[in-house]
Amino acid sequence: PSVGEWALPSIGMPLVKFDDIPQLANPVIKNDYQVSGFVFKTRKKTAWDSAIINAQVDFANDLKDPKSCATPSKLTWKLPKPFGCPFFIVDKLEVDKNGKYALEASSDKVADGLKIDFKSDLADLNKVSLGCTYTGVKHTQIKTDLKLTKPQDFTAEVTYACPVAVTGMKFSSPVLSGNLPDFGVRMLKGPLFLSLVAKEKLSAYSGTCMYQATPEVKVAATYQHGGKDTGKWSAAVSWKGLYRVKLAQDSVCLSLKHTVAKGFTALAGTKYGFAKGDISYGLQLSVE
């Protein structure tokens, strides 16, 4: 096909993080498979400077084990204007079931095209990280992340949108010792999406494809060649984003999503493992 027949990334495929290069296929092959455990989620937007709170409660994962009959929970807040301050955003303030904290904050008010990120567990200074994302160069996104107390422990990536694809490169501190970066590319033409990511010194490759057969039906597949997961594959089909079937080298999964009422969604699924013949199932209820 000619260049003009491909969807321009600047319009149809916006720049993404390196790890999100295969993301367009995730709604078919990864997301919304609640095949074990029972989860209740709720999300509420408040009038306090548009702050948002998310709560998640995990119920018993093993009904045969009385000790598993617990309800560990996780609370997450998002504060677009913390205490009325418009200069930064608290993207996540989280308390998990073990009482551990996670804080993520960002600001895009420093300079045009520049976003600063801050992450901490509010316990260990050595785990504090600073990052920045720069989009001041046309069709280009540059991201860096480093530890506050150990700046030599860093990661960096560059993604670039050309007329036929979005390409990316990611590297970390081992590259200073001669290691190769990771490379990735994604392409979209009409209903067809393709991506390829090469890691581990170009010895491990992950390929993903998705095809929208009809307005209601999407199919997707992934394959891993090289590395510890070599030979692993999966293929899935989704109808209207509500019903999914996924087949992998070791299992088959079924998923059903249903809107009970406005703001109330149920997600159920089951999984059958080929090796042991075991069956698991799960249910997630979400209220917004």
Side-chain angles (χ1 to χ4, degrees):
S2 65
V3 170
E5 292 177 308
W6 290 82
L8 290 176
S10 59
I11 300 174
M13 292 181 63
L15 286 165
V16 296
K17 297 186 295 184
F18 182 87
D19 292 338
D20 290 341
I21 283 179
Q23 190 181 41
L24 276 182
N26 286 355
V28 179
I29 208 159
K30 285 189 176 182
N31 300 346
D32 287 343
Y33 285 95
Q34 184 69 38
V35 295
S36 66
F38 303 90
V39 180
F40 176 75
K41 292 182 177 182
T42 182
R43 181 179 186 271
K44 180 65 177 178
K45 184 176 181 179
T46 71
W48 182 44
D49 294 323
S50 300
I52 298 172
I53 182 169
N54 294 278
Q56 176 176 319
V57 180
D58 298 321
F59 294 89
N61 287 335
D62 185 357
L63 297 179
K64 298 179 181 179
D65 181 8
K67 295 181 179 180
S68 72
C69 293
T71 55
S73 59
K74 178 172 66 176
L75 297 176
T76 307
W77 291 269
K78 180 177 181 179
L79 308 174
K81 294 181 180 179
F83 306 105
C85 179
F87 300 107
F88 72 98
I89 298 173
V90 176
D91 299 291
K92 182 172 77 172
L93 177 58
E94 183 177 276
V95 185
D96 68 11
K97 62 183 180 181
N98 298 315
K100 294 182 179 180
Y101 296 89
L103 171 65
E104 296 181 8
S106 63
S107 174
D108 57 4
K109 307 298 184 182
V110 179
D112 290 341
L114 179 65
K115 181 180 179 182
I116 305 296
D117 298 288
F118 171 86
K119 297 180 181 179
S120 171
D121 65 355
L122 301 179
D124 188 351
L125 185 62
N126 293 321
K127 294 183 180 180
V128 175
S129 65
L130 296 175
C132 68
T133 302
Y134 183 66
T135 55
V137 180
K138 191 175 182 180
H139 303 314
T140 304
Q141 179 175 273
I142 303 171
K143 290 180 63 69
T144 61
D145 187 85
L146 54 84
K147 300 293 184 182
L148 183 63
T149 59
K150 194 177 180 182
Q152 64 272 26
D153 183 8
F154 71 92
T155 60
E157 64 180 62
V158 180
T159 52
Y160 176 74
C162 59
V164 297
V166 173
T167 60
M169 176 181 68
K170 183 177 181 179
F171 56 91
S172 56
S173 49
V175 78
L176 302 177
S177 303
N179 281 11
L180 291 173
D182 299 335
F183 296 94
V185 60
R186 66 187 326 210
M187 294 181 289
L188 177 67
K189 181 184 183 296
L192 179 63
F193 168 76
L194 301 170
S195 74
L196 179 66
V197 177
K199 297 183 176 182
E200 300 177 21
K201 301 180 182 179
L202 304 183
S203 64
Y205 299 86
S206 177
T208 302
C209 66
M210 183 185 70
Y211 182 74
Q212 185 162 352
T214 72
E216 296 84 14
V217 178
K218 294 181 180 179
V219 293
T222 65
Y223 181 76
Q224 178 73 34
H225 177 74
K228 63 179 181 180
D229 294 328
T230 187
K232 288 188 175 182
W233 59 270
S234 60
V237 58
S238 169
W239 184 69
K240 290 187 175 181
L242 300 176
Y243 307 98
R244 295 173 175 83
V245 179
K246 179 168 69 171
L247 179 65
Q249 80 285 345
D250 58 354
S251 63
V252 60
C253 301
L254 303 176
S255 175
L256 166 65
K257 189 174 185 179
H258 177 65
T259 300
V260 181
K262 184 178 180 181
F264 182 24
T265 303
L267 176 66
T270 184
K271 178 179 179 180
Y272 175 77
F274 298 140
K276 298 181 180 180
D278 54 327
I279 299 176
S280 66
Y281 53 90
L283 175 66
Q284 180 186 120
L285 300 177
S286 301
V287 177
E288 294 189 11

